[in-house]
Amino acid sequence: MNNEPIIKKKGMTTKSRQYKKRKIKGKSNKKRSWKSILKFLAFEIAFVAITSPFLVFYGPFENVRNTIVGAAMTTLNHQYIAKWFLSDEKINEILSSHKIEDIKQGSSNVSIEIPKRASNDIERYDVSTGKFKGYMLVIHDPKRIKVGYTQKLGIEGQLTSKIARDNGAVAAINGGGFPDESTGWTGTGATPTGVIIHEGEIKFDAIKNESTKVDTMALTKEGRLLVGKYSIGELKKANVTEALSFGPALVVDGKPTIKQGDGGWGVAPRTAIGQRKDGAIVMLVIDGRQVSSIGASLKEVQDTLIDNGVVNATNLDGGSSTTMYYDGDVINNPANSLGERAVPSIVYVK
């Protein structure tokens, strides 16, 4: 009989050591799996980023290509998006496929009935489709519509809400554009394009020629909305009291001006103004460059206005400038990362 003491070795048994090895090996496999997944995802992202532009510009989706080209070329400071992939000839071909008719206002028998009594009524509506969201105001008394402008014309622009509050406005939308010679159309809002007329007086004139016609939004003393190409001389003869320069006209005498393509300006935030047969003024803004609302083409703006009874309408400055002020607040979501953008002019409700 062996009386030697049994000595128990501290530590793991062979089975427990094998289990731990398998456990460690399992963790290692999981790490390799995650690395493989991450590498695959990185490859997919890089592949999509590289091939997407070629698919857009050279693939079968002509409408997508045309929309992107239109948006790039009309923003002016992002034209490289199209020019990197397409020749000038191809870009011009695409842009020319979108036709906006130049219809002279008054060429058809569409009568506007201006209300004889003053009204304080303003109706607010939400505009929503599967593609974009926006807001519409209906102002029943057209004589309440005025053109406002920055108090620092030639120096810097001001926010739509600031100009509106300074004028005691109950509602307002941004108005005309503002080029900057050094940076294209991304200036400070200091210098408007064209002309600004308020209370019958010319407050700003970059045209310097009473015979030159430019895209215009104007209100006569009687409360009629004028849209399309007008000269300062014509505005004076029409007894215009409020005006600014921008366009294009979207609806003239009940007729749509865009009958081929989508207007050629791509998809973006939009601002527009129109008038119904009963004289009511319709202000429309559409948000864009957001997940919930990518924006609208000019034709979609045109169709929205026509669907709401508008017979004369024009496009106003859009993009990051698009802003609607109502009852003390900005009610839309401006696309500018800093919120509202400084602008030279607005259209407001007195």
Side-chain angles (χ1 to χ4, degrees):
M1 183 174 176
N2 188 355
N3 294 324
E4 291 182 6
I6 299 174
I7 301 174
K8 293 184 179 181
K9 187 176 181 180
K10 293 183 179 181
M12 298 179 293
T13 64
T14 300
K15 287 185 178 181
S16 64
R17 284 196 295 272
Q18 289 175 347
Y19 172 77
K20 186 172 183 180
K21 285 180 181 178
R22 285 197 298 270
K23 191 174 182 181
I24 293 172
K25 187 175 181 181
K27 287 183 178 180
S28 179
N29 288 337
K30 286 182 180 180
K31 287 181 179 179
R32 281 197 292 270
S33 297
W34 277 111
K35 286 181 179 180
S36 297
I37 293 171
L38 292 175
K39 286 180 180 179
F40 175 76
L41 290 175
F43 170 78
E44 287 292 305
I45 292 170
F47 179 79
V48 170
I50 293 171
T51 60
S52 290
F54 293 94
L55 184 62
V56 167
F57 290 106
Y58 301 106
F61 311 109
E62 290 188 8
N63 289 338
V64 174
R65 180 198 63 190
N66 294 351
T67 297
I68 291 176
V69 170
M73 298 309 292
T74 52
T75 56
L76 296 186
N77 55 330
H78 291 100
Q79 292 184 353
Y80 63 89
I81 295 174
K83 290 187 174 183
W84 274 351
F85 299 96
L86 301 173
S87 65
D88 290 342
E89 291 76 15
K90 187 62 178 178
I91 291 173
N92 290 332
E93 178 187 330
I94 291 171
L95 295 178
S96 63
S97 67
H98 304 275
K99 293 184 178 180
I100 302 178
E101 285 190 42
D102 186 9
I103 303 174
K104 179 65 178 177
Q105 201 167 7
S107 59
S108 62
N109 296 322
V110 175
S111 60
I112 305 296
E113 298 178 5
I114 303 299
K116 295 180 179 180
R117 294 183 179 180
S119 172
N120 291 324
D121 291 343
I122 298 179
E123 300 172 27
R124 170 184 165 175
Y125 298 94
D126 292 346
V127 177
S128 181
T129 69
K131 179 181 177 182
F132 57 78
K133 295 180 180 179
Y135 303 88
M136 185 172 65
L137 299 178
V138 178
I139 301 92
H140 288 269
D141 186 353
K143 294 181 181 179
R144 297 173 65 192
I145 305 301
K146 304 291 180 181
V147 168
Y149 52 91
T150 172
Q151 294 180 357
K152 302 177 182 179
L153 274 173
I155 301 173
E156 64 180 7
Q158 292 180 311
L159 304 182
T160 296
S161 59
K162 166 67 175 171
I163 302 174
R165 292 188 182 103
D166 287 347
N167 286 279
V170 294
I173 51 178
N174 62 291
F178 45 100
D180 186 288
E181 293 182 359
S182 61
T183 59
W185 287 69
T186 57
T188 63
T191 307
T193 58
V195 66
I196 291 178
I197 298 176
H198 176 63
E199 299 289 357
E201 296 183 8
I202 296 177
K203 299 297 183 179
F204 184 87
D205 181 11
I207 302 172
K208 307 299 182 183
N209 187 327
E210 289 203 359
S211 300
T212 302
K213 295 184 179 183
V214 298
D215 282 315
T216 302
M217 182 235 74
L219 273 297
T220 67
K221 186 177 181 180
E222 295 77 23
R224 299 182 188 280
L225 177 68
L226 303 184
V227 299
K229 295 186 183 299
Y230 285 89
S231 67
I232 294 176
E234 289 174 324
L235 296 179
K236 288 181 177 180
K237 289 180 181 179
N239 205 13
V240 162
T241 56
E242 309 290 327
L244 57 78
S245 301
F246 209 79
L250 301 175
V251 189
V252 179
D253 293 345
K255 299 177 181 178
T257 62
I258 304 171
K259 297 181 179 179
Q260 181 176 324
D262 63 8
W265 286 32
V267 172
R270 301 289 178 203
T271 304
I273 186 170
Q275 188 170 38
R276 303 188 313 201
K277 282 186 177 182
D278 63 0
I281 295 294
V282 175
M283 293 179 168
L284 173 69
V285 298
I286 292 174
D287 288 334
R289 300 171 186 167
Q290 301 166 24
V291 174
S292 60
S293 182
I294 64 173
S297 67
L298 290 183
K299 189 177 186 305
E300 287 170 326
V301 174
Q302 170 190 273
D303 293 346
T304 300
L305 292 167
I306 291 175
D307 289 344
N308 285 277
V310 169
V311 294
N312 288 301
T314 188
N315 177 57
L316 296 176
D317 191 20
S320 297
S321 298
T322 290
T323 306
M324 178 174 279
Y325 171 88
Y326 179 60
D327 198 21
D329 293 304
V330 173
I331 63 173
N332 74 309
N333 295 309
N336 189 18
S337 59
L338 299 178
E340 279 188 82
R341 187 182 190 182
V343 297
S345 61
I346 68 169
V347 183
Y348 69 89
V349 184
K350 189 175 181 179

